[in-house]
Short mmCIF file of all heavy atoms in Angstrom, two decimals:
data_model
loop_
_atom_site.label_atom_id
_atom_site.label_comp_id
_atom_site.label_asym_id
_atom_site.label_seq_id
_atom_site.Cartn_x
_atom_site.Cartn_y
_atom_site.Cartn_z
N MET A 1353 -26.74 3.89 -1.43
CA MET A 1353 -25.53 4.37 -2.06
C MET A 1353 -24.43 4.61 -1.04
O MET A 1353 -23.27 4.37 -1.32
CB MET A 1353 -25.86 5.67 -2.81
CG MET A 1353 -24.75 6.12 -3.69
SD MET A 1353 -24.44 4.91 -4.98
CE MET A 1353 -23.68 5.89 -6.17
N LYS A 1354 -24.81 5.06 0.16
CA LYS A 1354 -23.82 5.30 1.20
C LYS A 1354 -23.18 3.99 1.65
O LYS A 1354 -21.99 3.95 1.94
CB LYS A 1354 -24.45 6.01 2.39
CG LYS A 1354 -24.79 7.44 2.13
CD LYS A 1354 -25.35 8.10 3.37
CE LYS A 1354 -25.71 9.54 3.08
NZ LYS A 1354 -26.23 10.20 4.27
N ILE A 1355 -23.98 2.94 1.71
CA ILE A 1355 -23.46 1.64 2.14
C ILE A 1355 -22.42 1.14 1.13
O ILE A 1355 -21.37 0.62 1.53
CB ILE A 1355 -24.60 0.61 2.30
CG1 ILE A 1355 -25.52 1.03 3.44
CG2 ILE A 1355 -24.06 -0.78 2.53
CD1 ILE A 1355 -26.76 0.20 3.57
N LEU A 1356 -22.69 1.31 -0.14
CA LEU A 1356 -21.75 0.90 -1.18
C LEU A 1356 -20.45 1.70 -1.09
O LEU A 1356 -19.36 1.14 -1.16
CB LEU A 1356 -22.38 1.07 -2.56
CG LEU A 1356 -21.52 0.67 -3.74
CD1 LEU A 1356 -21.20 -0.82 -3.69
CD2 LEU A 1356 -22.21 1.02 -5.04
N THR A 1357 -20.56 3.00 -0.90
CA THR A 1357 -19.37 3.84 -0.78
C THR A 1357 -18.55 3.47 0.45
O THR A 1357 -17.32 3.34 0.35
CB THR A 1357 -19.78 5.33 -0.69
OG1 THR A 1357 -20.59 5.65 -1.81
CG2 THR A 1357 -18.57 6.22 -0.63
N ILE A 1358 -19.20 3.26 1.57
CA ILE A 1358 -18.49 2.88 2.79
C ILE A 1358 -17.83 1.51 2.64
O ILE A 1358 -16.69 1.32 3.06
CB ILE A 1358 -19.45 2.91 4.00
CG1 ILE A 1358 -19.85 4.35 4.30
CG2 ILE A 1358 -18.82 2.26 5.22
CD1 ILE A 1358 -20.98 4.48 5.31
N SER A 1359 -18.52 0.57 2.00
CA SER A 1359 -17.93 -0.76 1.83
C SER A 1359 -16.73 -0.73 0.87
O SER A 1359 -15.74 -1.41 1.09
CB SER A 1359 -18.98 -1.76 1.34
OG SER A 1359 -19.47 -1.39 0.08
N ILE A 1360 -16.79 0.09 -0.17
CA ILE A 1360 -15.65 0.22 -1.09
C ILE A 1360 -14.47 0.85 -0.38
O ILE A 1360 -13.33 0.40 -0.54
CB ILE A 1360 -16.06 1.02 -2.35
CG1 ILE A 1360 -16.99 0.18 -3.21
CG2 ILE A 1360 -14.83 1.45 -3.14
CD1 ILE A 1360 -17.58 0.90 -4.38
N ILE A 1361 -14.70 1.86 0.43
CA ILE A 1361 -13.62 2.50 1.19
C ILE A 1361 -13.01 1.52 2.18
O ILE A 1361 -11.78 1.44 2.32
CB ILE A 1361 -14.13 3.79 1.88
CG1 ILE A 1361 -14.44 4.85 0.84
CG2 ILE A 1361 -13.11 4.30 2.90
CD1 ILE A 1361 -15.15 6.06 1.38
N CYS A 1362 -13.85 0.74 2.85
CA CYS A 1362 -13.34 -0.26 3.81
C CYS A 1362 -12.52 -1.33 3.10
O CYS A 1362 -11.47 -1.75 3.61
CB CYS A 1362 -14.49 -0.90 4.57
SG CYS A 1362 -15.27 0.21 5.75
N LEU A 1363 -12.95 -1.78 1.93
CA LEU A 1363 -12.19 -2.77 1.17
C LEU A 1363 -10.86 -2.19 0.70
O LEU A 1363 -9.83 -2.87 0.75
CB LEU A 1363 -13.00 -3.26 -0.03
CG LEU A 1363 -14.07 -4.29 0.27
CD1 LEU A 1363 -14.91 -4.54 -0.97
CD2 LEU A 1363 -13.44 -5.58 0.75
N TYR A 1364 -10.87 -0.94 0.27
CA TYR A 1364 -9.64 -0.27 -0.17
C TYR A 1364 -8.63 -0.21 0.98
O TYR A 1364 -7.46 -0.55 0.81
CB TYR A 1364 -9.99 1.14 -0.67
CG TYR A 1364 -8.80 2.00 -0.97
CD1 TYR A 1364 -8.00 1.76 -2.07
CD2 TYR A 1364 -8.47 3.07 -0.14
CE1 TYR A 1364 -6.91 2.55 -2.36
CE2 TYR A 1364 -7.38 3.87 -0.42
CZ TYR A 1364 -6.61 3.61 -1.53
OH TYR A 1364 -5.52 4.39 -1.80
N ILE A 1365 -9.09 0.20 2.14
CA ILE A 1365 -8.20 0.28 3.30
C ILE A 1365 -7.73 -1.11 3.72
O ILE A 1365 -6.56 -1.31 4.05
CB ILE A 1365 -8.90 1.02 4.46
CG1 ILE A 1365 -9.09 2.49 4.07
CG2 ILE A 1365 -8.12 0.90 5.76
CD1 ILE A 1365 -9.96 3.28 5.02
N ALA A 1366 -8.62 -2.10 3.67
CA ALA A 1366 -8.25 -3.46 4.04
C ALA A 1366 -7.19 -4.03 3.09
O ALA A 1366 -6.22 -4.65 3.54
CB ALA A 1366 -9.49 -4.36 4.04
N PHE A 1367 -7.35 -3.82 1.79
CA PHE A 1367 -6.35 -4.29 0.82
C PHE A 1367 -5.00 -3.66 1.10
O PHE A 1367 -3.96 -4.32 1.03
CB PHE A 1367 -6.77 -3.97 -0.62
CG PHE A 1367 -7.74 -4.96 -1.20
CD1 PHE A 1367 -8.96 -4.53 -1.70
CD2 PHE A 1367 -7.43 -6.30 -1.28
CE1 PHE A 1367 -9.85 -5.42 -2.25
CE2 PHE A 1367 -8.32 -7.20 -1.82
CZ PHE A 1367 -9.54 -6.77 -2.30
N ASN A 1368 -4.99 -2.38 1.41
CA ASN A 1368 -3.74 -1.69 1.67
C ASN A 1368 -3.08 -2.16 2.96
O ASN A 1368 -1.87 -2.32 3.02
CB ASN A 1368 -3.96 -0.18 1.69
CG ASN A 1368 -3.99 0.40 0.31
OD1 ASN A 1368 -2.97 0.53 -0.33
ND2 ASN A 1368 -5.18 0.72 -0.18
N ILE A 1369 -3.87 -2.40 3.99
CA ILE A 1369 -3.31 -2.88 5.25
C ILE A 1369 -2.73 -4.28 5.08
O ILE A 1369 -1.62 -4.57 5.55
CB ILE A 1369 -4.38 -2.84 6.37
CG1 ILE A 1369 -4.67 -1.39 6.74
CG2 ILE A 1369 -3.93 -3.62 7.59
CD1 ILE A 1369 -5.83 -1.21 7.69
N VAL A 1370 -3.46 -5.16 4.40
CA VAL A 1370 -2.97 -6.52 4.17
C VAL A 1370 -1.69 -6.50 3.33
O VAL A 1370 -0.72 -7.21 3.63
CB VAL A 1370 -4.06 -7.39 3.51
CG1 VAL A 1370 -3.51 -8.70 3.01
CG2 VAL A 1370 -5.20 -7.62 4.48
N THR A 1371 -1.68 -5.68 2.30
CA THR A 1371 -0.49 -5.57 1.45
C THR A 1371 0.70 -5.04 2.25
O THR A 1371 1.82 -5.55 2.13
CB THR A 1371 -0.76 -4.65 0.25
OG1 THR A 1371 -1.85 -5.18 -0.49
CG2 THR A 1371 0.45 -4.54 -0.64
N SER A 1372 0.45 -4.06 3.09
CA SER A 1372 1.52 -3.49 3.90
C SER A 1372 2.07 -4.51 4.89
O SER A 1372 3.27 -4.54 5.16
CB SER A 1372 1.01 -2.26 4.64
OG SER A 1372 1.99 -1.74 5.48
N LYS A 1373 1.21 -5.34 5.44
CA LYS A 1373 1.64 -6.35 6.41
C LYS A 1373 2.36 -7.52 5.75
O LYS A 1373 3.33 -8.03 6.30
CB LYS A 1373 0.43 -6.90 7.18
CG LYS A 1373 -0.19 -5.95 8.14
CD LYS A 1373 0.62 -5.88 9.38
CE LYS A 1373 -0.11 -5.04 10.41
NZ LYS A 1373 0.68 -4.84 11.59
N MET A 1374 1.91 -7.93 4.57
CA MET A 1374 2.42 -9.15 3.96
C MET A 1374 3.69 -8.95 3.14
O MET A 1374 4.48 -9.88 3.01
CB MET A 1374 1.34 -9.80 3.10
CG MET A 1374 0.17 -10.33 3.90
SD MET A 1374 -0.99 -11.24 2.91
CE MET A 1374 -0.04 -12.69 2.55
N LEU A 1375 3.89 -7.77 2.57
CA LEU A 1375 5.02 -7.55 1.68
C LEU A 1375 6.04 -6.62 2.32
O LEU A 1375 5.68 -5.68 3.03
CB LEU A 1375 4.55 -6.93 0.36
CG LEU A 1375 3.57 -7.74 -0.47
CD1 LEU A 1375 3.14 -6.94 -1.68
CD2 LEU A 1375 4.16 -9.06 -0.90
N THR A 1376 7.30 -6.88 2.02
CA THR A 1376 8.34 -5.94 2.42
C THR A 1376 8.39 -4.81 1.39
O THR A 1376 7.76 -4.90 0.33
CB THR A 1376 9.71 -6.63 2.49
OG1 THR A 1376 10.07 -7.07 1.18
CG2 THR A 1376 9.70 -7.81 3.44
N ALA A 1377 9.16 -3.79 1.69
CA ALA A 1377 9.27 -2.66 0.76
C ALA A 1377 9.92 -3.10 -0.55
O ALA A 1377 9.54 -2.64 -1.63
CB ALA A 1377 10.06 -1.53 1.39
N LYS A 1378 10.89 -4.01 -0.47
CA LYS A 1378 11.54 -4.50 -1.69
C LYS A 1378 10.56 -5.31 -2.54
O LYS A 1378 10.57 -5.20 -3.77
CB LYS A 1378 12.75 -5.36 -1.34
CG LYS A 1378 13.91 -4.55 -0.83
CD LYS A 1378 15.10 -5.43 -0.54
CE LYS A 1378 16.24 -4.59 0.01
NZ LYS A 1378 17.43 -5.39 0.30
N GLU A 1379 9.72 -6.13 -1.90
CA GLU A 1379 8.73 -6.89 -2.65
C GLU A 1379 7.69 -5.97 -3.27
O GLU A 1379 7.26 -6.20 -4.41
CB GLU A 1379 8.05 -7.91 -1.72
CG GLU A 1379 8.93 -9.03 -1.28
CD GLU A 1379 8.29 -9.92 -0.26
OE1 GLU A 1379 7.39 -9.46 0.48
OE2 GLU A 1379 8.69 -11.09 -0.17
N MET A 1380 7.29 -4.94 -2.55
CA MET A 1380 6.34 -3.98 -3.11
C MET A 1380 6.94 -3.28 -4.31
O MET A 1380 6.27 -3.07 -5.32
CB MET A 1380 5.91 -2.97 -2.04
CG MET A 1380 4.99 -3.54 -0.99
SD MET A 1380 4.61 -2.43 0.37
CE MET A 1380 3.83 -1.07 -0.45
N LYS A 1381 8.22 -2.89 -4.21
CA LYS A 1381 8.89 -2.24 -5.33
C LYS A 1381 8.95 -3.15 -6.54
O LYS A 1381 8.68 -2.74 -7.66
CB LYS A 1381 10.29 -1.80 -4.94
CG LYS A 1381 11.04 -1.09 -6.05
CD LYS A 1381 12.45 -0.75 -5.62
CE LYS A 1381 13.23 -0.10 -6.73
NZ LYS A 1381 13.64 -1.01 -7.77
N SER A 1382 9.29 -4.42 -6.32
CA SER A 1382 9.41 -5.34 -7.46
C SER A 1382 8.05 -5.63 -8.09
O SER A 1382 7.96 -5.82 -9.30
CB SER A 1382 10.09 -6.63 -7.03
OG SER A 1382 9.25 -7.38 -6.18
N ARG A 1383 6.99 -5.65 -7.30
CA ARG A 1383 5.66 -5.92 -7.85
C ARG A 1383 5.01 -4.70 -8.49
O ARG A 1383 4.32 -4.83 -9.50
CB ARG A 1383 4.74 -6.44 -6.76
CG ARG A 1383 5.03 -7.85 -6.36
CD ARG A 1383 3.95 -8.39 -5.49
NE ARG A 1383 4.29 -9.74 -5.05
CZ ARG A 1383 3.46 -10.53 -4.43
NH1 ARG A 1383 2.25 -10.11 -4.15
NH2 ARG A 1383 3.83 -11.73 -4.07
N PHE A 1384 5.18 -3.54 -7.88
CA PHE A 1384 4.43 -2.36 -8.31
C PHE A 1384 5.22 -1.40 -9.18
O PHE A 1384 4.64 -0.52 -9.82
CB PHE A 1384 3.88 -1.60 -7.11
CG PHE A 1384 3.05 -2.44 -6.18
CD1 PHE A 1384 3.13 -2.27 -4.82
CD2 PHE A 1384 2.21 -3.41 -6.66
CE1 PHE A 1384 2.38 -3.03 -3.95
CE2 PHE A 1384 1.45 -4.19 -5.81
CZ PHE A 1384 1.54 -4.00 -4.45
N ILE A 1385 6.55 -1.53 -9.22
CA ILE A 1385 7.35 -0.58 -9.99
C ILE A 1385 8.17 -1.28 -11.08
O ILE A 1385 8.09 -0.91 -12.25
CB ILE A 1385 8.28 0.24 -9.07
CG1 ILE A 1385 7.43 1.08 -8.12
CG2 ILE A 1385 9.22 1.11 -9.87
CD1 ILE A 1385 8.21 1.83 -7.07
N ASP A 1386 8.95 -2.28 -10.71
CA ASP A 1386 9.82 -2.95 -11.67
C ASP A 1386 9.01 -3.74 -12.69
O ASP A 1386 8.11 -4.48 -12.34
CB ASP A 1386 10.78 -3.91 -10.94
CG ASP A 1386 11.73 -3.17 -10.02
OD1 ASP A 1386 11.91 -1.96 -10.21
OD2 ASP A 1386 12.28 -3.82 -9.11
N GLY A 1387 9.33 -3.57 -13.95
CA GLY A 1387 8.69 -4.33 -15.01
C GLY A 1387 7.30 -3.84 -15.41
O GLY A 1387 6.63 -4.49 -16.20
N GLN A 1388 6.87 -2.72 -14.87
CA GLN A 1388 5.56 -2.19 -15.22
C GLN A 1388 5.71 -1.08 -16.26
O GLN A 1388 6.72 -0.40 -16.31
CB GLN A 1388 4.89 -1.59 -13.98
CG GLN A 1388 4.54 -2.58 -12.89
CD GLN A 1388 3.31 -3.38 -13.24
OE1 GLN A 1388 2.44 -2.93 -13.99
NE2 GLN A 1388 3.24 -4.58 -12.70
N CYS A 1389 4.67 -0.92 -17.07
CA CYS A 1389 4.66 0.23 -17.98
C CYS A 1389 4.31 1.48 -17.17
O CYS A 1389 3.99 1.39 -15.98
CB CYS A 1389 3.65 0.01 -19.10
SG CYS A 1389 1.95 -0.08 -18.55
N ILE A 1390 4.37 2.62 -17.78
CA ILE A 1390 4.12 3.89 -17.08
C ILE A 1390 2.73 3.91 -16.46
O ILE A 1390 2.56 4.30 -15.30
CB ILE A 1390 4.31 5.09 -18.03
CG1 ILE A 1390 5.75 5.18 -18.52
CG2 ILE A 1390 3.88 6.39 -17.39
CD1 ILE A 1390 6.76 5.48 -17.44
N VAL A 1391 1.73 3.48 -17.22
CA VAL A 1391 0.36 3.49 -16.72
C VAL A 1391 0.22 2.51 -15.55
O VAL A 1391 -0.44 2.81 -14.55
CB VAL A 1391 -0.63 3.14 -17.85
CG1 VAL A 1391 -2.05 3.03 -17.33
CG2 VAL A 1391 -0.56 4.18 -18.95
N GLY A 1392 0.85 1.35 -15.64
CA GLY A 1392 0.81 0.37 -14.56
C GLY A 1392 1.47 0.89 -13.30
O GLY A 1392 0.97 0.68 -12.20
N LYS A 1393 2.59 1.57 -13.46
CA LYS A 1393 3.28 2.15 -12.30
C LYS A 1393 2.40 3.18 -11.60
O LYS A 1393 2.28 3.19 -10.38
CB LYS A 1393 4.58 2.82 -12.73
CG LYS A 1393 5.68 1.87 -13.09
CD LYS A 1393 6.92 2.64 -13.52
CE LYS A 1393 7.97 1.70 -14.07
NZ LYS A 1393 9.18 2.41 -14.50
N ILE A 1394 1.80 4.04 -12.40
CA ILE A 1394 0.98 5.11 -11.83
C ILE A 1394 -0.26 4.56 -11.13
O ILE A 1394 -0.56 4.92 -9.99
CB ILE A 1394 0.59 6.13 -12.92
CG1 ILE A 1394 1.83 6.88 -13.40
CG2 ILE A 1394 -0.47 7.11 -12.41
CD1 ILE A 1394 1.61 7.71 -14.63
N THR A 1395 -0.97 3.66 -11.78
CA THR A 1395 -2.21 3.16 -11.19
C THR A 1395 -1.95 2.26 -9.99
O THR A 1395 -2.66 2.35 -8.98
CB THR A 1395 -3.05 2.40 -12.23
OG1 THR A 1395 -2.27 1.37 -12.83
CG2 THR A 1395 -3.56 3.33 -13.31
N ALA A 1396 -0.94 1.39 -10.07
CA ALA A 1396 -0.65 0.51 -8.94
C ALA A 1396 -0.20 1.31 -7.74
O ALA A 1396 -0.64 1.05 -6.61
CB ALA A 1396 0.41 -0.51 -9.33
N ASN A 1397 0.66 2.28 -7.95
CA ASN A 1397 1.15 3.07 -6.82
C ASN A 1397 0.10 4.04 -6.30
O ASN A 1397 0.12 4.39 -5.13
CB ASN A 1397 2.44 3.78 -7.19
CG ASN A 1397 3.58 2.79 -7.26
OD1 ASN A 1397 3.88 2.12 -6.29
ND2 ASN A 1397 4.20 2.69 -8.42
N ALA A 1398 -0.81 4.48 -7.15
CA ALA A 1398 -1.91 5.31 -6.67
C ALA A 1398 -2.85 4.48 -5.80
O ALA A 1398 -3.30 4.93 -4.74
CB ALA A 1398 -2.68 5.91 -7.85
N PHE A 1399 -3.13 3.25 -6.22
CA PHE A 1399 -4.01 2.38 -5.44
C PHE A 1399 -3.37 2.00 -4.11
O PHE A 1399 -4.00 2.01 -3.07
CB PHE A 1399 -4.37 1.12 -6.23
CG PHE A 1399 -5.33 0.23 -5.50
CD1 PHE A 1399 -6.69 0.51 -5.51
CD2 PHE A 1399 -4.88 -0.89 -4.81
CE1 PHE A 1399 -7.58 -0.31 -4.83
CE2 PHE A 1399 -5.76 -1.71 -4.13
CZ PHE A 1399 -7.12 -1.42 -4.14
N TYR A 1400 -2.08 1.66 -4.15
CA TYR A 1400 -1.39 1.20 -2.95
C TYR A 1400 -0.63 2.32 -2.24
O TYR A 1400 0.30 2.06 -1.48
CB TYR A 1400 -0.44 0.06 -3.29
CG TYR A 1400 -1.17 -1.22 -3.60
CD1 TYR A 1400 -1.16 -1.75 -4.88
CD2 TYR A 1400 -1.87 -1.89 -2.62
CE1 TYR A 1400 -1.84 -2.92 -5.17
CE2 TYR A 1400 -2.56 -3.06 -2.90
CZ TYR A 1400 -2.54 -3.57 -4.18
OH TYR A 1400 -3.22 -4.72 -4.46
N SER A 1401 -1.04 3.56 -2.43
CA SER A 1401 -0.37 4.68 -1.77
C SER A 1401 -0.50 4.60 -0.25
O SER A 1401 0.43 4.96 0.47
CB SER A 1401 -0.92 6.01 -2.28
OG SER A 1401 -2.30 6.11 -2.01
N VAL A 1402 -1.62 4.11 0.24
CA VAL A 1402 -1.80 3.95 1.68
C VAL A 1402 -0.84 2.89 2.22
O VAL A 1402 -0.26 3.05 3.29
CB VAL A 1402 -3.26 3.61 2.02
CG1 VAL A 1402 -3.43 3.33 3.50
CG2 VAL A 1402 -4.18 4.73 1.59
N ALA A 1403 -0.62 1.81 1.46
CA ALA A 1403 0.32 0.77 1.88
C ALA A 1403 1.74 1.33 1.93
O ALA A 1403 2.50 1.03 2.87
CB ALA A 1403 0.25 -0.42 0.94
N TRP A 1404 2.12 2.14 0.95
CA TRP A 1404 3.44 2.78 0.97
C TRP A 1404 3.55 3.71 2.18
O TRP A 1404 4.60 3.76 2.85
CB TRP A 1404 3.69 3.57 -0.31
CG TRP A 1404 4.04 2.73 -1.50
CD1 TRP A 1404 3.25 2.52 -2.60
CD2 TRP A 1404 5.24 2.00 -1.72
NE1 TRP A 1404 3.91 1.71 -3.48
CE2 TRP A 1404 5.13 1.38 -2.98
CE3 TRP A 1404 6.41 1.83 -1.00
CZ2 TRP A 1404 6.14 0.59 -3.52
CZ3 TRP A 1404 7.42 1.05 -1.53
CH2 TRP A 1404 7.28 0.43 -2.78
N LEU A 1405 2.50 4.44 2.48
CA LEU A 1405 2.50 5.34 3.64
C LEU A 1405 2.66 4.55 4.93
O LEU A 1405 3.45 4.93 5.80
CB LEU A 1405 1.21 6.16 3.67
CG LEU A 1405 1.05 7.10 4.86
CD1 LEU A 1405 2.03 8.26 4.74
CD2 LEU A 1405 -0.37 7.60 4.93
N LEU A 1406 1.93 3.45 5.08
CA LEU A 1406 2.06 2.62 6.28
C LEU A 1406 3.46 2.04 6.41
O LEU A 1406 4.01 1.97 7.51
CB LEU A 1406 1.01 1.51 6.26
CG LEU A 1406 -0.44 1.94 6.43
CD1 LEU A 1406 -1.37 0.76 6.20
CD2 LEU A 1406 -0.66 2.54 7.80
N LYS A 1407 4.04 1.61 5.29
CA LYS A 1407 5.42 1.09 5.31
C LYS A 1407 6.39 2.17 5.76
O LYS A 1407 7.29 1.92 6.55
CB LYS A 1407 5.83 0.64 3.92
CG LYS A 1407 5.96 -0.76 3.56
CD LYS A 1407 6.39 -1.71 4.57
CE LYS A 1407 5.79 -3.02 4.17
NZ LYS A 1407 5.96 -4.07 5.11
N GLY A 1408 6.23 3.38 5.24
CA GLY A 1408 7.09 4.49 5.60
C GLY A 1408 6.96 4.87 7.07
O GLY A 1408 7.95 5.11 7.76
N LEU A 1409 5.72 4.92 7.57
CA LEU A 1409 5.51 5.24 8.97
C LEU A 1409 6.11 4.17 9.88
O LEU A 1409 6.72 4.50 10.90
CB LEU A 1409 4.01 5.37 9.26
CG LEU A 1409 3.34 6.63 8.76
CD1 LEU A 1409 1.84 6.56 9.00
CD2 LEU A 1409 3.92 7.85 9.44
N ARG A 1410 5.95 2.92 9.50
CA ARG A 1410 6.54 1.83 10.30
C ARG A 1410 8.06 1.96 10.32
O ARG A 1410 8.68 1.79 11.37
CB ARG A 1410 6.13 0.49 9.72
CG ARG A 1410 6.66 -0.67 10.51
CD ARG A 1410 6.05 -1.98 10.05
NE ARG A 1410 6.49 -3.02 10.93
CZ ARG A 1410 7.15 -4.09 10.53
NH1 ARG A 1410 7.38 -4.27 9.25
NH2 ARG A 1410 7.55 -5.00 11.39
N PHE A 1411 8.66 2.26 9.18
CA PHE A 1411 10.11 2.43 9.11
C PHE A 1411 10.58 3.59 10.00
O PHE A 1411 11.54 3.46 10.75
CB PHE A 1411 10.52 2.69 7.65
CG PHE A 1411 11.98 2.97 7.47
CD1 PHE A 1411 12.90 1.94 7.51
CD2 PHE A 1411 12.43 4.26 7.28
CE1 PHE A 1411 14.26 2.20 7.35
CE2 PHE A 1411 13.77 4.53 7.11
CZ PHE A 1411 14.69 3.50 7.15
N ILE A 1412 9.87 4.71 9.94
CA ILE A 1412 10.24 5.87 10.75
C ILE A 1412 10.08 5.57 12.24
O ILE A 1412 10.96 5.91 13.05
CB ILE A 1412 9.40 7.10 10.34
CG1 ILE A 1412 9.81 7.56 8.95
CG2 ILE A 1412 9.53 8.23 11.35
CD1 ILE A 1412 8.90 8.60 8.34
N ILE A 1413 8.98 4.94 12.62
CA ILE A 1413 8.74 4.64 14.03
C ILE A 1413 9.76 3.66 14.57
O ILE A 1413 10.31 3.85 15.65
CB ILE A 1413 7.31 4.11 14.23
CG1 ILE A 1413 6.30 5.25 13.99
CG2 ILE A 1413 7.13 3.53 15.62
CD1 ILE A 1413 4.86 4.81 13.91
N ILE A 1414 10.07 2.61 13.82
CA ILE A 1414 11.04 1.62 14.27
C ILE A 1414 12.42 2.24 14.42
O ILE A 1414 13.11 1.99 15.40
CB ILE A 1414 11.05 0.41 13.32
CG1 ILE A 1414 9.79 -0.41 13.52
CG2 ILE A 1414 12.29 -0.47 13.57
CD1 ILE A 1414 9.62 -1.56 12.56
N ASN A 1415 12.83 3.05 13.46
CA ASN A 1415 14.15 3.68 13.54
C ASN A 1415 14.22 4.76 14.61
O ASN A 1415 15.29 4.99 15.17
CB ASN A 1415 14.57 4.23 12.19
CG ASN A 1415 14.95 3.13 11.23
OD1 ASN A 1415 15.38 2.07 11.65
ND2 ASN A 1415 14.80 3.40 9.96
N THR A 1416 13.13 5.41 14.91
CA THR A 1416 13.10 6.42 15.96
C THR A 1416 13.17 5.79 17.34
O THR A 1416 13.89 6.27 18.22
CB THR A 1416 11.84 7.30 15.84
OG1 THR A 1416 11.79 7.87 14.54
CG2 THR A 1416 11.83 8.39 16.89
N VAL A 1417 12.45 4.70 17.54
CA VAL A 1417 12.42 4.03 18.83
C VAL A 1417 13.76 3.35 19.13
O VAL A 1417 14.22 3.37 20.27
CB VAL A 1417 11.26 3.01 18.88
CG1 VAL A 1417 11.33 2.16 20.13
CG2 VAL A 1417 9.93 3.74 18.80
N LYS A 1418 14.39 2.79 18.13
CA LYS A 1418 15.69 2.13 18.35
C LYS A 1418 16.69 3.17 18.68
O LYS A 1418 17.45 3.26 19.46
CB LYS A 1418 16.15 1.39 17.10
CG LYS A 1418 15.45 0.09 16.91
CD LYS A 1418 16.05 -0.64 15.73
CE LYS A 1418 15.39 -1.97 15.53
NZ LYS A 1418 15.96 -2.71 14.43
#
């Protein structure tokens, strides 16, 4: 059971990292927010909350360093 839990967590993190790397913030907004019903908005953004966090951290770090 622990192996299954660890593998699901690793896949969740991997999906979020790949999404954060491949999509811009505007593309993420258009896919996960625009045109979605309320339930779709909530579930998609809950699942990809780590990707949004990584995007935000990257934005803050880039703007701070510049």
Side-chain angles (χ1 to χ4, degrees):
M1353 190 63 157
K1354 288 183 181 181
I1355 294 172
L1356 181 63
T1357 305
I1358 292 170
S1359 63
I1360 289 173
I1361 291 170
C1362 289
L1363 281 172
Y1364 172 72
I1365 292 170
F1367 278 124
N1368 279 285
I1369 290 172
V1370 168
T1371 301
S1372 177
K1373 290 281 187 185
M1374 293 186 70
L1375 299 176
T1376 65
K1378 288 182 182 180
E1379 291 173 334
M1380 287 174 61
K1381 180 183 178 286
S1382 69
R1383 286 191 183 189
F1384 305 141
I1385 296 174
D1386 296 340
Q1388 294 283 333
C1389 64
I1390 297 295
V1391 175
K1393 287 179 188 180
I1394 292 170
T1395 55
N1397 287 301
F1399 183 81
Y1400 288 112
S1401 61
V1402 175
W1404 283 110
L1405 177 71
L1406 291 172
K1407 253 328 152 187
L1409 286 174
R1410 182 170 186 238
F1411 176 77
I1412 291 169
I1413 291 170
I1414 288 175
N1415 287 333
T1416 304
V1417 172
K1418 283 185 179 181

